Amino acid sequence: MIAEHAIILAVVLPLLAAPLCILLGRGFLSWIAASASVWTSFGLALHLLNRVLHEGTIRYALGGWEAPVGIEYRLDAAGALVMTVVTAIASIVLPYSYTSVRREIDEHKHHWFYACLLLCFSGLLGITVAGDAFNIFVFLEISSLSTYVLVSMGRDRRALTAAFKYLIIGTVGATFYLLGVGFMYQMTGTLNIEDLSQRLLAMSGDGVTPVYETTTIRAALSFLTVGISLKVALFPLHVWLPNVYAYAPSVVSAFLSATATKVAILIFLRVFYTIDGKAIPFEALPLAQTLVPFAVAGAVVASFIAVYQRDVKRLLAYSSIAQVGYMICGIGLATAAGLESGLLHLFNHALMKGTLFLAIGCVVYRVGQTRLELLRGVGREMPFTAASIVIGGASLIGVPLTAGFVSKWALLTAVLAEGRWVIAVLVIVSSLIAVVYVAQILHVMLIRKRPVGSERLREAPLWMVVPTFLLALSNLWYGVVDGRAADAARAAAAALIEEVAR
Amino acid sequence: MDYLGLFNYWVFIVLMMCGFYMLLSARNLVKKVIGLNLFQTSVFVFYISTGKVDGGAVPIATDGVDVYSNPLPHVLILTAIVVGVASTALGLALILRIKDEYGSIEEDEVDLQDALS
Amino acid sequence: MTIAVAAVRTKNLFEAAMLFGIFSLVSASFFVVLDAVDVAMTEAAVGAGVSTILMLSTLAVTGFKVRPRPVQRDILGIGVSVLLGGALVYGTLDMPRIGDPTAPVQTHPIAEHYIDVSPTETGIPNMVTPLLASYRGYDTFGETAVVFTAGIGVLALIGRRRRRDGTPVESCEGTDAMGDRHRVLRVVGKQVIPAILLYACYIQAHGDFGPGGGFQAGVVFASGLMLYMLLVGIDEAERVIKPKVLERLIALGLLLYGGTGLLNIIQGGAFLDYRTMAHDAVHGLHYGILAVELGVGITVTAVITTIIFTFAGHMRSRQKALPGEANAAADGGAS
């Protein structure tokens, strides 16, 4: 029974653990409930990934109503990969969160915090498995609303303005998405994504043009693109992101940076491959041509801005925008290799950014702030945290033997296979700038000396260091030993391409 | 082409543009939220209009009526309205906190304080 | 439309909020014209009711005037809006006109299913209800979760700091005065409240046959409680309706909805497949829809009441600092 319902339980259990947190009312009990449900989801996600890779797409009719009458859950390899990333990061973040949250958030807000974290988590999961365009909107809003709350719990008052701006921009993005879905619905009469993709091929009312060539569908696609790009924080629609990551509580920054934009990228794939791919192959869209330059420009510009940041978390946030550029660039190539590199980088970026934000969280726990000049020599007294930052940073640059190298190499080969030299050069330039900003962090934290007279720091508590360090080691593990992530990404890319061809 | 039949849509479009402009250009945070609401409500009206059928009745089964409007857009918009009010409530709560912390809800004044700190 | 333009132009935020309320009400009547009675009911209650009240109570704290600044045209804003408008007009060019019976929306088999099959399959004449609670019940579950999030979020943002630590909340004169000044209002109001609450229960139960359902009922119920709060003051209201209890109820509603789904799984069906709940599929559907609508109703009532109480509490706590503005707000809220 569990196997049959795994796909729904993975989403619903954490969603229901959220009200449970409110009923339990106490920080510790909420944390237990949250951890238990998140780990269960992780187990179920691994099971599902395994099944999808062996048996193909899994479907589940909610309420027992067959699609398109009812809502369908539909998990393909790409969805399963993102689902695994989200659940894995959440399972690592939760043990870490207990200590960190106690330091950063008022005691009486703890159960609200865990409830929102769970809502955000299950909202993101709900998107990865949804097979219905409107259902994606609903779960997008669950995760967004809870994100606004989580961000606003940050200590700094700028967290409030960051959350407000994100709320306005996020709601506009979601409304654009809704508008795009509405246009599509009007031309096809359905919301199920597979049914949509079939009906786009039909003839429209005048009997001459097929539906996918009508102006309405073109407008719908442009609205969907803008709406999703806002959520992905694709350059130049990224303005909300730096402050959100910079002023959110450490746990939230780590969780969001590793998951939220990734799920938005998945929605992107859903629209352009699963829904629209049959009618208009992605590479035939004028969009594909414009997207790659934007993505690469974003990668370079955002890396460049990152160098000038004085706050570590803002620096990492800008670096995230750059990394999203790589992923979109890979996807925008619209080849199997490009897709594969994009998806693989999605997985690896979750590992490295998760590591870095968790490590910065450890620093915040001891030092209490994130301005770069005040972190002098901190790394010398917190060895494991420092080691995590070194590994995470190396992976971010793409040093061989780390996970970051694998995916960046894949991206470069994919770009070169298409003969696009300029883009390849820009990707390398952006990586070189990454060397500069990572070196900056390491220089300040490891080489500079602590100011005279400052008290000696201790390593962060075990509950925080162990998850951080484990995640850091996973960067090496997936860089050197384990090729399963790459295999999964390859399978996911192949499945998306095959779907289009069918 | 029957432009007259499209005229109704254009009314919503003008409404959406009003809301969107208000959202972009207002410096006052509450006004931004109001603009957001205008924008969303216009999108809802557009959705509902897609379900209408000429001569259709309210979708509640009654004897002797054959043509009903499509209830699906209604359900979608019920959900969307609720989501909209949820974000409005959160946005306004954030504004209250911003007022507490900054003493102002004008965007430029708040940004200025952020830049100084 | 004029209203919308006026709302954009006005410098007075109070006017803008009220104009938005009117705009909502006009859209609601538009929904009735387009046969969407359930939506109209919700829009009237939410857009014209809850949103406007929340905007007003925010303004009560923040002040009603936009800071005067030299008139400047926001070129970028106009440009982007026109771009949006252009894209929208372009999109409408190939659209079927409103009311076209041959539009894909009307001819797709699912429309037929919802309209022709649903009343016999479910035994519920209002086609919106089974669609909302069963065919697309999972969306509604998500929607309830969104409402839940909003409730928790507002609590986390401006909820009262702990009341246990000895400092009793200062007795407030501002809102209490209402009861003394307007005795007639108070007496009449108290007569009306039970009727409103009863009407809410009617909407809740009658959703199967007429327009209505859990969400609308929740809003109406909450507005009854809000009227009570306006009459007796926030402190007295919170003594009767404890915030802690409300918080629990928020959670309980969502749990009831999800629990129904889990029960269906245990009974061997899919998540939210109510047909497993009784020997007869139609009966099972009825039980299930009843349960989830009740869940929605509980959560919505509790969330909206919580939000309004929290806003009122916040307003009250700021009142001392800004007595003039707050009084204006109390009048605004009452009118």
Side-chain angles (χ1 to χ4, degrees):
Chain A
M1 189 182 86
I2 297 290
E4 185 192 337
H5 295 285
I7 184 167
I8 179 77
L9 289 177
V11 180
V12 167
L13 288 181
L15 191 57
L16 288 177
L20 202 62
C21 286
I22 302 297
L23 286 181
L24 294 172
R26 295 266 288 284
F28 181 68
L29 293 175
S30 307
W31 176 73
I32 298 269
S35 308
S37 61
V38 165
W39 289 336
T40 314
S41 286
F42 182 45
L44 293 171
L46 283 180
H47 163 80
L48 286 168
L49 177 66
N50 197 21
R51 248 176 68 193
V52 169
L53 289 179
H54 287 106
E55 298 163 21
T57 307
I58 302 177
R59 286 155 211 286
Y60 185 87
L62 284 153
W65 302 109
E66 289 305 324
V69 169
I71 296 172
E72 183 190 43
Y73 261 8
R74 174 184 172 286
L75 186 66
D76 59 4
L81 184 69
V82 178
M83 190 182 193
T84 313
V85 171
V86 175
T87 48
I89 294 292
S91 327
I92 289 178
V93 161
L94 262 165
Y96 175 99
S97 67
Y98 186 64
T99 328
S100 174
V101 165
R102 283 225 313 207
R103 174 60 62 95
E104 291 183 28
I105 291 170
D106 294 341
E107 170 105 39
H108 71 284
K109 288 185 177 171
H110 283 185
H111 60 294
W112 294 332
F113 176 87
Y114 289 116
C116 284
L117 193 64
L118 282 171
L119 284 166
C120 183
F121 172 69
S122 43
L124 293 174
L125 281 189
I127 298 171
T128 62
V129 291
D132 186 284
F134 192 79
N135 199 248
I136 292 181
F137 166 76
V138 174
F139 277 80
L140 187 68
E141 284 294 62
I142 295 182
S143 66
S144 311
L145 282 180
S146 45
T147 307
Y148 311 144
V149 180
L150 288 172
V151 172
S152 70
M153 285 181 176
R155 272 241 171 278
D156 195 302
R157 69 176 183 176
R158 275 170 287 185
L160 294 172
T161 41
F164 184 79
K165 284 202 177 123
Y166 187 25
L167 184 138
I168 295 287
I169 293 176
T171 312
V172 169
T175 312
F176 270 41
Y177 178 82
L178 189 65
L179 204 56
V181 171
F183 275 27
M184 285 211 166
Y185 170 67
Q186 194 173 26
M187 295 312 284
T188 58
T190 185
L191 293 162
N192 182 274
I193 54 176
E194 286 188 345
D195 198 19
L196 266 173
S197 74
Q198 289 299 334
R199 277 173 197 273
L200 284 178
L201 296 171
M203 278 295 148
S204 69
D206 62 4
V208 187
T209 33
V211 171
Y212 66 83
E213 278 187 2
T214 55
T215 59
T216 311
I217 293 301
R218 288 188 188 157
L221 284 176
S222 54
F223 284 123
L224 291 172
T225 312
V226 175
I228 300 167
S229 301
L230 279 169
K231 283 280 170 191
V232 176
L234 181 64
F235 177 84
L237 301 173
H238 64 274
V239 281
W240 57 270
L241 188 138
N243 278 354
V244 165
Y245 285 7
Y247 302 118
S250 313
V251 177
V252 178
S253 306
F255 179 65
L256 286 181
S257 68
T259 56
T261 48
K262 315 291 179 294
V263 172
I265 288 176
L266 183 71
I267 307 180
F268 201 86
L269 289 175
R270 283 273 175 275
V271 170
F272 288 105
Y273 280 87
T274 322
I275 295 182
D276 195 47
K278 275 200 197 67
I280 319 166
F282 183 66
E283 57 269 24
L285 282 174
L287 186 77
Q289 264 75 54
T290 46
L291 210 58
V292 174
F294 268 121
V296 179
V300 176
V301 175
S303 303
F304 201 65
I305 301 175
V307 175
Y308 290 96
Q309 295 306 311
R310 282 174 301 174
D311 184 296
V312 186
K313 281 171 89 178
R314 268 181 83 93
L315 189 160
L316 291 178
Y318 273 107
S319 137
S320 277
I321 298 169
Q323 303 285 327
V324 164
Y326 295 147
M327 292 169 222
I328 295 289
C329 172
I331 292 167
L333 288 176
T335 58
L339 262 181
E340 182 197 330
S341 72
L343 285 168
L344 185 60
H345 197 61
L346 185 152
F347 179 86
N348 290 340
H349 179 247
L351 298 183
M352 49 196 166
K353 247 339 137 36
T355 309
L356 285 170
F357 270 110
L358 286 181
I360 297 298
C362 292
V363 174
V364 171
Y365 187 86
R366 286 296 179 214
V367 186
Q369 50 75 51
T370 52
R371 290 175 74 92
L372 204 51
E373 75 250 38
L374 296 173
L375 296 182
R376 269 174 293 167
V378 167
R380 298 166 156 233
E381 288 161 16
M382 300 173 74
F384 284 98
T385 308
S388 307
I389 294 181
V390 170
I391 299 172
S395 189
L396 196 59
I397 300 169
V399 174
L401 299 184
T402 59
F405 174 74
V406 180
S407 45
K408 219 169 245 183
W409 186 252
L411 178 64
L412 276 177
T413 9
V415 170
L416 289 177
E418 293 287 292
R420 301 174 82 158
W421 288 96
V422 185
I423 292 176
V425 170
L426 286 175
V427 167
I428 294 174
V429 168
S430 159
S431 303
L432 290 178
I433 306 177
V435 176
V436 177
Y437 62 69
V438 171
Q440 242 180 358
I441 304 181
L442 296 181
H443 173 76
V444 170
M445 293 183 71
L446 288 175
I447 309 215
R448 302 275 297 270
K449 291 217 164 52
R450 292 274 293 160
V452 188
S454 52
E455 60 185 297
R456 209 179 147 66
L457 294 170
R458 281 179 300 141
E459 182 56 272
L462 215 55
W463 276 104
M464 293 172 71
V465 173
V466 172
T468 311
F469 198 62
L470 280 179
L471 196 56
L473 287 183
S474 74
N475 276 300
L476 297 177
W477 175 260
Y478 282 101
V480 185
V481 189
D482 201 335
R484 274 179 300 180
D487 294 343
R490 191 169 308 127
L496 283 172
I497 298 270
E498 183 191 341
E499 214 163 57
V500 172
R502 225 179 322 130
Chain B
M1 187 177 282
D2 178 17
Y3 285 105
L4 224 65
L6 298 176
F7 178 74
N8 286 300
Y9 293 124
W10 295 350
V11 176
F12 319 142
I13 291 174
V14 173
L15 289 175
M16 277 183 223
M17 284 166 69
C18 284
F20 199 62
Y21 173 70
M22 190 163 164
L23 168 87
L24 288 174
S25 66
R27 297 284 120 193
N28 183 291
L29 300 183
V30 178
K31 238 181 142 178
K32 267 190 194 297
V33 174
I34 295 177
L36 189 63
N37 268 291
L38 275 178
F39 179 49
Q40 286 189 308
T41 311
S42 324
V43 175
F44 300 161
V45 179
F46 159 75
Y47 254 85
I48 295 295
S49 70
T50 63
K52 173 70 181 169
V53 186
D54 286 339
V58 172
I60 297 175
T62 329
D63 290 336
V65 180
D66 292 333
V67 186
Y68 298 100
S69 287
N70 189 346
L72 180 57
H74 303 185
V75 170
L76 303 183
I77 290 314
L78 272 178
T79 306
I81 289 179
V82 176
V83 171
V85 74
S87 12
T88 307
L90 265 185
L92 292 173
L94 272 169
I95 290 178
L96 286 176
R97 279 290 302 279
I98 289 175
K99 172 77 179 171
D100 273 1
E101 304 276 343
Y102 290 85
S104 168
I105 56 161
E106 300 287 331
E107 196 185 26
D108 37 8
E109 287 173 14
V110 172
D111 284 347
L112 189 69
Q113 289 189 37
D114 272 351
L116 292 178
S117 62
Chain C
M1 197 165 111
T2 337
I3 300 169
V5 176
V8 177
R9 302 275 318 161
T10 183
K11 287 268 183 285
N12 187 323
L13 289 172
F14 181 76
E15 267 171 35
M18 289 315 278
L19 284 171
F20 172 71
I22 298 168
F23 174 75
S24 257
L25 214 54
V26 175
S27 331
S29 49
F30 206 75
F31 290 149
V32 177
V33 175
L34 293 171
D35 298 336
V37 275
D38 284 81
V39 182
M41 206 164 166
T42 314
E43 178 65 35
V46 168
V50 177
S51 297
T52 312
I53 287 169
L54 291 182
M55 283 174 193
L56 288 177
S57 44
T58 310
L59 290 176
V61 175
T62 57
F64 289 99
K65 285 270 182 283
V66 176
R67 196 169 56 89
R69 52 167 58 78
V71 180
Q72 52 184 24
R73 294 268 175 268
D74 182 350
I75 304 292
L76 186 69
I78 293 177
V80 177
S81 304
V82 169
L83 193 69
L84 169 77
L88 284 164
V89 171
Y90 176 72
T92 56
L93 289 181
D94 280 348
M95 265 184 201
R97 69 186 170 78
I98 294 182
D100 185 355
T102 60
V105 171
Q106 312 297 348
T107 53
H108 192 280
I110 58 171
E112 204 173 311
H113 188 106
Y114 295 143
I115 294 173
D116 298 336
V117 184
S118 147
T120 42
E121 190 171 47
T122 63
I124 295 171
N126 184 354
M127 298 157 201
V128 173
T129 306
L131 183 49
L132 184 80
S134 183
Y135 297 122
R136 295 194 72 88
Y138 192 62
D139 272 350
T140 312
F141 179 54
E143 166 197 334
T144 317
V146 171
V147 175
F148 172 83
T149 317
I152 301 303
V154 169
L155 275 177
L157 276 168
I158 52 173
R160 226 59 86 73
R161 296 278 154 95
R162 64 203 66 163
R163 313 181 76 194
R164 291 192 211 104
D165 56 355
T167 47
V169 185
E170 333 77 53
S171 72
C172 75
E173 288 121 33
T175 34
D176 255 354
M178 172 108 180
D180 300 326
R181 273 189 305 187
H182 306 291
R183 182 146 300 152
V184 176
L185 257 185
R186 188 174 188 160
V187 171
V188 174
K190 283 202 170 162
Q191 306 289 321
V192 176
I193 291 171
I196 293 181
L197 299 187
L198 201 63
Y199 179 59
C201 298
Y202 166 78
I203 299 179
Q204 172 89 49
H206 198 253
D208 288 2
F209 304 101
F215 186 78
Q216 293 92 331
V219 177
V220 173
F221 203 91
S223 68
L225 297 180
M226 181 185 71
L227 184 60
Y228 180 70
M229 180 205 81
L230 278 176
L231 291 175
V232 301
I234 177 72
D235 288 327
E236 175 65 21
E238 287 201 336
R239 227 183 343 267
V240 178
I241 310 153
K242 298 233 164 35
K244 203 76 205 167
V245 175
L246 279 178
E247 199 185 324
R248 297 258 159 83
L249 282 177
I250 296 178
L252 210 62
L254 186 58
L255 273 178
L256 180 58
Y257 204 138
T260 311
L262 290 182
L263 181 69
N264 298 143
I265 289 186
I266 294 170
Q267 286 168 334
F271 186 73
L272 295 178
D273 187 353
Y274 315 129
R275 286 169 294 188
T276 56
M277 289 174 78
H279 295 297
D280 180 21
V282 173
H283 280 159
L285 273 173
H286 280 214
Y287 292 143
I289 291 176
L290 202 67
V292 298
E293 288 269 14
L294 191 64
V296 175
I298 293 175
T299 296
V300 170
T301 309
V303 165
I304 293 188
T305 316
T306 304
I307 291 178
I308 287 175
F309 278 19
T310 318
F311 270 69
H314 187 87
M315 184 164 110
R316 217 278 322 286
S317 67
R318 311 298 307 160
Q319 210 162 28
K320 288 196 152 178
L322 310 157
E325 276 178 331
N327 275 343
D331 292 345
S335 58

